[in-house]
Amino acid sequence: EVQLVESGGGLVQPGRSLRLSCAASGFTFDDYAMHWVRQAPGKGLEWVSGISWNSGSIGYADSVKGRFTISRDNAKNSLYLQMNSLRAEDTALYYCAKDRGYFPNGYFDYWGQGTLVTVSS
Amino acid sequence: EIVLTQSPGTLSLSPGERATLSCRASQSVSSSYLAWYQQKPGQAPRLLIYGASSRATGIPDRLSGSGSGTDFTLTISRLEPEDFAVYYCQQYGSSPLLTFGGGTKVEIK
């Protein structure tokens, strides 16, 4: 059974940093691209970032480019999102999602339950 | 960036009725690279349809997707109680930017 478990969310002040993690199990992690997708309270879904199976291809939404960094550790079956210079508009539930293929250009066939990030002073 | 516009914003229907949800793209979605997701309150989204018309594993055949180019449709032939939820479309033909529509809520009338 595929499982994606996010962690690392919490309350953080504007301008500060936070690192999210996603622990994956139930599939061959290094055979698939992975993504972060967020959902602000009461709002729709927004793709944040994606990374290919070997970290060779990475993409970011314009809203986070230059502030967020996605990475993965295939030996640990883990995905990460380093979030710097956080803003109030980054407040959201952050989902880890598995891509259907090697590269971060597909649809999301499995999702975690999300970790909540709240940016507020 | 491809912008996806979903309509209507809310659909009020009764169980047993047919639901038709629209997703319109600002430019052509290559190779019908369009997916649909269902999200219920407090839950993560669930993949329903990919490639515009292929059902994901375990999705009942009362849900179907169609369309190409810039116009796509998700149809639920007969609404069951578990179908009342929010539905999102997503395009993946224009990488590396992946985009979602704003969602359609299907509520009980």
Side-chain angles (χ1 to χ4, degrees):
Chain A
E1 178 194 5
V2 172
Q3 285 200 327
L4 300 170
V5 180
E6 303 92 339
S7 60
L11 175 63
V12 61
Q13 294 179 327
R16 303 297 290 265
S17 299
L18 206 59
R19 189 194 196 207
L20 306 183
S21 299
C22 171
S25 61
F27 65 102
T28 305
F29 184 70
D30 54 10
D31 274 351
Y32 296 95
M34 297 293 295
H35 301 265
W36 290 99
V37 177
R38 69 184 180 183
Q39 187 169 35
K43 302 297 184 183
L45 301 170
E46 180 188 16
W47 175 78
V48 173
S49 182
I51 185 169
S52 64
W53 66 283
N54 64 351
S55 304
S57 178
I58 287 174
Y60 297 98
D62 289 344
S63 57
V64 306
K65 197 173 295 183
R67 300 187 298 122
F68 290 11
T69 302
I70 192 172
S71 62
R72 64 189 294 162
D73 184 337
N74 287 344
K76 295 183 177 179
N77 287 352
S78 293
L79 175 72
Y80 307 101
L81 186 68
Q82 177 66 42
M83 304 186 295
N84 298 334
S85 304
L86 282 161
R87 307 167 179 167
E89 54 265 36
D90 295 319
T91 294
L93 186 63
Y94 284 73
Y95 292 104
C96 168
K98 173 186 169 293
D99 197 291
R100 47 80 194 217
Y102 286 109
F103 299 101
N105 58 359
Y107 55 85
F108 315 110
D109 54 5
Y110 290 94
W111 299 65
Q113 287 302 306
T115 187
L116 182 62
V117 173
T118 303
V119 183
S120 174
S121 55
Chain B
E1 176 184 336
I2 295 180
V3 177
L4 299 178
T5 302
Q6 291 188 241
S7 61
T10 302
L11 202 50
S12 298
L13 296 168
S14 300
E17 290 193 294
R18 182 184 186 89
T20 303
L21 287 66
S22 173
C23 176
R24 181 160 292 176
S26 60
Q27 54 189 283
S28 184
V29 176
S30 61
S31 303
S32 297
Y33 285 157
L34 189 107
W36 289 93
Y37 303 86
Q38 176 194 67
Q39 187 178 34
K40 297 179 180 179
Q43 295 185 17
R46 178 175 70 144
L47 175 68
L48 301 175
I49 301 286
Y50 61 92
S53 60
S54 297
R55 274 184 292 275
T57 303
I59 302 304
D61 59 9
R62 67 176 184 276
L63 277 76
S64 62
S66 62
S68 63
T70 60
D71 289 298
F72 298 88
T73 301
L74 176 69
T75 301
I76 308 173
S77 59
R78 296 173 310 279
L79 282 165
E80 297 285 341
E82 60 267 29
D83 298 330
F84 292 93
V86 179
Y87 293 82
Y88 295 95
C89 57
Q90 177 235 337
Q91 68 78 24
Y92 53 100
S94 174
S95 63
L97 293 178
L98 307 177
T99 52
F100 289 93
T104 291
K105 181 179 182 180
V106 179
E107 65 176 22
I108 300 176
K109 186 174 182 179

